[in-house]
């Protein structure tokens, strides 16, 4: 049995005027850390809201641990944890009060499931009497995670937990998820940051309500066909413009310190000829070499094929 | 020839009671430069940006922005800068064309200028088909490109971009950077914050704030060299991990 299953889910808003999710199918295995990777408008939040039984799909079927989102919505609500994208705790209750409230709602106590949240809660415990509204962004996030976990859910839904968070806190958050994995909890997490995709067991790359590709991050990168090159020179922006104009260059874009590019055929001769031309055009300190593609390269290629 | 200083800050400080949000920062940004203003959450970036854009009076220190003193001429500063935030800065229930006309009017452009620049902008962004659609119905990436174009429509000396590409897809994010490069080529100074560390590499110079202080400031190349690492992400991790503060 899959922990999460979506079959041909369609969801539209505004009387069918806006399609949020198109014929969406997905299976998440028990204990898996599964990532929905995509920008705003990809349909990630809609998927979460359908699975947490907050909205109904127009058509299609969805289930969580075998429970149907329509028939058995009450069972699902008992068994899942949900951390929405927007901070949704009670701002004028303290840290401890919020946690106690969520435990009570799920007919449990903080003590009963403390082992689940210990590592995370200890970090915010010094502020347990502070009102949630007065917490920093990073601490709010930790509290929200504790509240989503306090009833020991079988499946945890995390909608963009790292959006707007700095690169250090983002790394810390993923370390917390790694810890949670050891408890055997199934997690479905969404993010617009492509570099976070490698932290997942499997991912779905999403755009405008559809899945562009779905696999393990390693396998997705491996299936990137053809060669990818990285290039840089003293004048990076001019290099980008020159490469874009070149007939042998299929695709080129900035990628951190380098530009990434593909050529019309992967032969050494084409690459050498290209290098020579760029040197003639006055590019200094030119570097151009083969490089390994990342998830972001895969995503860009899929978007360009659309 | 020395390039014009568009931002000049000396010991710029902002206190809220006992809390020192920005602790005597000093730096300069030159005309046409793309300046990346990075920092951990709560490091004081937003407070610093608010002082530099004439929205918040500093507690002490000096700052000149676009040639104007932040204490004496905050209104002049507002007229000479552009600003775009992570939260969308256009009117959702106006069309693309109406937004452009509205902001052109605010910036005091003449009727003919409004017509001409509006047409130019819609063509440049490839929004001909969407020109009469409500902005609400545009994908986020297009909105952000439009918001940026509107923020520099009055050709300011300096534009502040506060996490402009947050949540934008990787292709559109790069198109957004093309617009930034174009603006910089025209001599507009770009002051930008981002959580995408690959975008830090696209800046001419970077400053990294930690707990109200600028801990490091240089070109991405020199920063990486200095810390003996190969990416700006590593530089950021080294500096921001020392942060004691995480408030925002």
């Amino acid at each position: 049995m899959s922990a999460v299953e979506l079959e041909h889910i369609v969801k539209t808003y505004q009387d069918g005027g806006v399609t949020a999710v198109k014929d969406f199918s997905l299976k998440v295995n028990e204990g898996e850390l599964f990532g929905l990777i995509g920008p705003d408008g990809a349909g990630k939040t809609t998927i979460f809201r359908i699975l947490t039984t907050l909205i109904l799909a127009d058509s299609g079927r969805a289930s969580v641990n075998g429970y149907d989102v329509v028939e058995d919505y009450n069972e699902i609500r008992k068994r899942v944890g949900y951390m929405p994208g927007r901070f949704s705790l009670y701002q004028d209750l303290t840290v401890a009060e919020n946690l106690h409230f969520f435990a009570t709602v799920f007919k449990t106590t903080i003590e009963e499931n403390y082992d689940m949240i210990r590592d995370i809660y200890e970090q915010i415990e010094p502020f347990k009497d502070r009102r949630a509204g007065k917490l920093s962004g990073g601490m709010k996030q930790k509290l929200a995670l504790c509240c989503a976990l306090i009833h020991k859910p079988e499946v945890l839904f995390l909608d963009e937990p790292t959006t707007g968070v700095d690169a250090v806190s983002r790394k810390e958050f993923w370390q917390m998820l790694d810890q949670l994995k050891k408890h055997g909890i199934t997690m479905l997490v969404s993010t617009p940051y492509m570099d976070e995709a490698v932290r997942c067991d499997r991912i779905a790359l999403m755009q405008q309500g559809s899945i562009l590709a779905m696999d393990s991050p390693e396998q997705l990168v491996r299936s990137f066909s053809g060669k990818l090159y990285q290039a840089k020179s003293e004048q990076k922006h001019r290099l980008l413009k020159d490469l874009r104009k070149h007939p042998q260059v299929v695709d080129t874009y900035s990628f951190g310190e380098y530009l990434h590019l593909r050529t019309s055929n992967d032969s050494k001769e084409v690459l050498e000829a290209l290098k020579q031309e760029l040197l003639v055009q006055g590019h200094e300190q030119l570097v151009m070499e083969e490089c390994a593609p990342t998830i972001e390269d895969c995503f860009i290629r899929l978007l360009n094929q659309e | 020839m020395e390039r014009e200083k568009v931002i000049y800050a000396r010991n710029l400080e902002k206190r809220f009671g006992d809390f020192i949000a920005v602790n005597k920062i000093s730096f300069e940004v030159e005309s046409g430069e793309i300046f990346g203003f990075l920092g951990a959450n709560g490091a004081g970036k937003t407070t610093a940006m608010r002082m530099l854009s004439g929205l918040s009076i500093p507690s002490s220190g000096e700052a000149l922005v676009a040639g104007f003193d932040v204490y004496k001429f905050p209104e002049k500063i507002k007229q000479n800068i552009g600003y775009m935030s992570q939260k969308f800065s256009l009117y959702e229930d106006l069309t693309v064309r109406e937004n452009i006309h509205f902001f052109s009017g605010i910036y005091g452009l003449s009727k003919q200028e409004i017509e001409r620049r509006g047409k130019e902008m819609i063509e440049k962004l490839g929004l001909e088909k969407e020109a009469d659609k409500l902005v609400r119905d545009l994908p986020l990436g297009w909105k952000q490109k439009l918001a940026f174009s509107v923020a520099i429509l009055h050709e300011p000396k300096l534009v502040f971009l506060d996490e402009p590409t947050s949540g934008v897809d990787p292709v559109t994010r790069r198109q957004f950077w093309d617009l930034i490069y174009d603006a910089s080529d025209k001599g507009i100074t770009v002051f930008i914050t981002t959580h995408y560390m690959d975008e830090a590499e696209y800046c001419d110079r970077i400053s990294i704030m930690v707990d109200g202080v600028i801990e490091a400031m240089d070109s991405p190349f020199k920063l990486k060299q200095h810390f003996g690492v190969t990416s700006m992400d590593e530089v950021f991790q080294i500096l921001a991990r020392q942060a004691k503060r995480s408030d925002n």
Side-chain angles (χ1 to χ4, degrees):
Chain A
M1 187 183 66
S2 306
V4 173
E5 207 168 334
L6 295 149
E7 283 174 56
H8 306 294
I9 288 286
V10 175
K11 178 68 189 176
T12 59
Y13 295 115
Q14 293 173 20
D15 296 323
V18 179
T19 305
V21 170
K22 302 169 196 162
D23 193 20
F24 195 98
S25 299
L26 175 83
K27 277 184 188 172
V28 180
N29 301 319
E30 226 170 281
E32 202 171 26
L33 174 50
F34 194 100
L36 299 177
I37 317 290
D40 277 33
K44 307 188 296 291
T45 300
T46 298
I47 295 293
F48 282 115
R49 294 177 67 82
I50 290 170
L51 288 170
T52 49
T53 76
L54 296 172
I55 55 171
L56 293 170
D58 297 1
S59 62
R61 225 183 55 81
S63 65
V64 179
N65 270 1
Y67 295 102
D68 186 87
V69 289
V70 183
E71 304 287 322
D72 316 312
Y73 70 93
N74 261 325
E75 285 303 318
I76 292 179
R77 290 181 186 184
K78 282 182 223 163
R79 288 157 199 273
V80 303
Y82 176 38
M83 189 172 151
R86 245 175 79 183
F87 184 69
S88 310
L89 302 182
Y90 292 95
Q91 310 260 4
D92 44 9
L93 293 186
T94 65
V95 167
E97 285 166 347
N98 263 295
L99 198 56
H100 179 71
F101 175 81
F102 280 92
T104 312
V105 164
F106 287 103
K107 298 193 174 67
T108 181
T109 59
I110 297 172
E111 293 72 34
E112 199 175 313
N113 296 319
Y114 192 66
D115 65 310
M116 193 85 188
I117 60 163
R118 178 180 292 118
D119 295 342
I120 307 159
Y121 190 65
E122 276 172 356
Q123 301 172 48
I124 51 173
E125 209 174 6
F127 311 99
K128 67 179 177 9
D129 296 323
R130 192 178 287 186
R131 286 184 186 194
K134 299 279 177 202
L135 292 176
S136 71
M139 285 198 282
K140 273 183 184 162
Q141 198 192 30
K142 284 171 188 157
L143 177 60
L145 186 56
C146 286
C147 290
L149 284 168
I150 196 60
H151 58 300
K152 218 168 186 176
E154 293 161 20
V155 181
L156 182 62
F157 295 110
L158 301 153
D159 192 5
E160 296 206 20
T162 55
T163 292
V165 174
D166 70 57
V168 171
S169 310
R170 272 167 50 195
K171 226 162 235 179
E172 280 175 12
F173 195 84
W174 281 94
Q175 282 161 2
M176 288 191 271
L177 297 191
D178 284 342
Q179 287 296 321
L180 285 175
K181 243 191 96 143
K182 293 178 188 156
H183 289 270
I185 188 168
T186 306
M187 286 180 273
L188 185 63
V189 54
S190 67
T191 178
Y193 296 104
M194 302 287 143
D195 57 343
E196 295 180 347
V198 293
R199 311 287 307 243
C200 302
D201 298 324
R202 279 194 309 141
I203 54 172
L205 300 181
M206 291 173 62
Q207 170 83 346
Q208 287 172 9
S210 301
I211 295 178
L212 301 172
M214 177 161 50
D215 216 324
S216 70
E218 301 75 28
Q219 194 52 43
L220 271 177
V221 165
R222 224 173 287 143
S223 60
F224 188 96
S225 61
K227 284 180 178 166
L228 184 71
Y229 301 103
Q230 60 181 17
K232 66 175 177 180
S233 77
E234 284 286 274
Q235 286 170 288
K236 212 170 97 181
H237 192 221
R238 187 159 75 86
L239 182 62
L240 183 63
K241 283 184 173 166
D242 288 343
L243 283 172
R244 271 183 189 157
K245 272 186 277 181
H246 202 280
Q248 298 278 23
V249 174
V250 181
D251 190 15
T252 183
Y253 46 87
S254 302
F255 204 96
E257 184 184 355
Y258 290 89
L259 307 175
H260 280 183
L261 66 135
R262 289 186 297 127
T263 54
S264 54
N265 79 52
D266 291 333
S267 73
K268 256 192 184 151
E269 291 73 33
V270 167
L271 188 70
E272 278 310 313
L274 186 56
K275 262 191 207 173
Q276 284 312 316
E277 274 180 59
L278 291 168
L279 288 172
V280 171
Q281 285 171 355
H283 284 283
E284 287 171 33
Q285 310 272 339
L286 181 71
V287 175
M288 199 180 266
E289 61 206 6
E290 201 180 335
C291 70
T294 66
I295 294 292
E296 188 150 356
D297 291 299
C298 297
F299 201 101
I300 290 171
R301 189 152 173 191
L302 288 163
L303 285 182
N304 287 338
Q305 283 165 2
E306 282 277 286
Chain B
M1 193 187 83
E2 200 177 319
R3 289 209 285 179
E4 189 193 346
K5 305 253 184 291
V6 177
I7 297 179
Y8 169 89
R10 272 290 162 279
N11 298 322
L12 195 63
E13 186 185 48
K14 183 76 187 186
R15 290 170 178 264
F16 298 103
D18 291 339
F19 181 69
I20 306 173
V22 174
N23 192 353
K24 298 196 170 139
I25 59 170
S26 300
F27 67 100
E28 286 157 21
V29 182
E30 289 178 347
S31 150
E33 201 173 8
I34 302 173
F35 188 79
F37 197 59
L38 310 188
N41 292 118
K45 300 188 302 278
T46 304
T47 307
M49 265 211 267
R50 287 178 57 83
M51 287 193 280
L52 294 172
S53 50
L55 294 171
S56 167
I57 301 289
S59 305
S60 69
E62 284 174 70
L64 294 175
V65 177
F68 297 102
D69 187 300
V70 291
Y71 296 94
K72 291 185 199 143
F73 305 107
E75 294 311 314
K76 280 275 174 209
I77 290 174
K78 287 177 203 164
Q79 285 163 22
N80 283 279
I81 61 169
Y83 177 85
M84 177 196 159
S85 84
Q86 74 198 96
K87 285 177 199 108
F88 185 52
S89 37
L90 300 174
Y91 288 96
E92 296 262 303
D93 45 8
L94 294 183
T95 66
V96 169
R97 203 188 304 275
E98 284 165 349
N99 264 289
I100 296 171
H101 287 187
F102 174 78
F103 283 99
S104 309
I106 294 259
Y107 290 130
L109 300 186
S110 70
K111 262 215 166 112
Q112 291 98 318
E113 272 291 281
I114 292 177
E115 276 299 321
R116 187 181 66 79
R117 291 211 204 167
K119 227 179 132 212
E120 222 177 74
M121 191 184 299
I122 287 166
E123 268 168 33
K124 193 179 165 201
L125 294 172
L127 285 173
E128 290 95 338
K129 276 190 199 151
E130 282 76 21
D132 295 310
K133 274 193 193 160
L134 294 185
V135 157
R136 183 198 299 143
D137 298 331
L138 293 183
L140 176 77
W142 294 18
K143 284 184 196 173
Q144 295 303 74
K145 284 193 279 181
L146 177 63
F148 176 67
S149 304
V150 166
I152 57 167
L153 160 137
H154 56 309
E155 292 171 355
K157 285 187 176 169
L158 167 68
V159 63
F160 288 98
L161 306 175
D162 193 2
E163 292 182 34
T165 56
S166 207
V168 174
D169 76 68
V171 171
T172 313
R173 214 149 62 73
R174 286 166 173 86
Q175 290 168 355
F176 192 92
W177 272 89
D178 284 340
L179 296 179
I180 291 181
Y181 283 125
D182 285 349
S184 159
D185 287 346
K186 274 196 245 160
I188 297 177
T189 306
V190 178
F191 189 99
I192 181 168
T193 72
T194 180
H195 286 309
Y196 290 96
M197 287 303 127
D198 61 326
E199 294 187 345
E201 310 267 3
Y202 309 156
C203 300
D204 295 323
R205 218 149 47 94
I206 294 287
S207 87
I208 300 180
M209 264 185 101
V210 179
D211 294 346
V213 176
I214 292 180
E215 277 292 338
M217 183 163 49
D218 216 325
S219 67
F221 177 75
K222 287 201 176 135
L223 283 174
K224 284 181 281 184
Q225 202 175 41
H226 178 82
F227 288 96
V229 294
T230 55
S231 72
M232 278 307 296
D233 185 44
E234 291 166 276
V235 173
F236 187 82
Q237 297 285 342
I238 290 168
L239 289 169
R241 205 169 280 147
Q242 308 160 1
K244 304 260 185 313
R245 231 154 81 178
S246 68
D247 220 333
N248 48 11

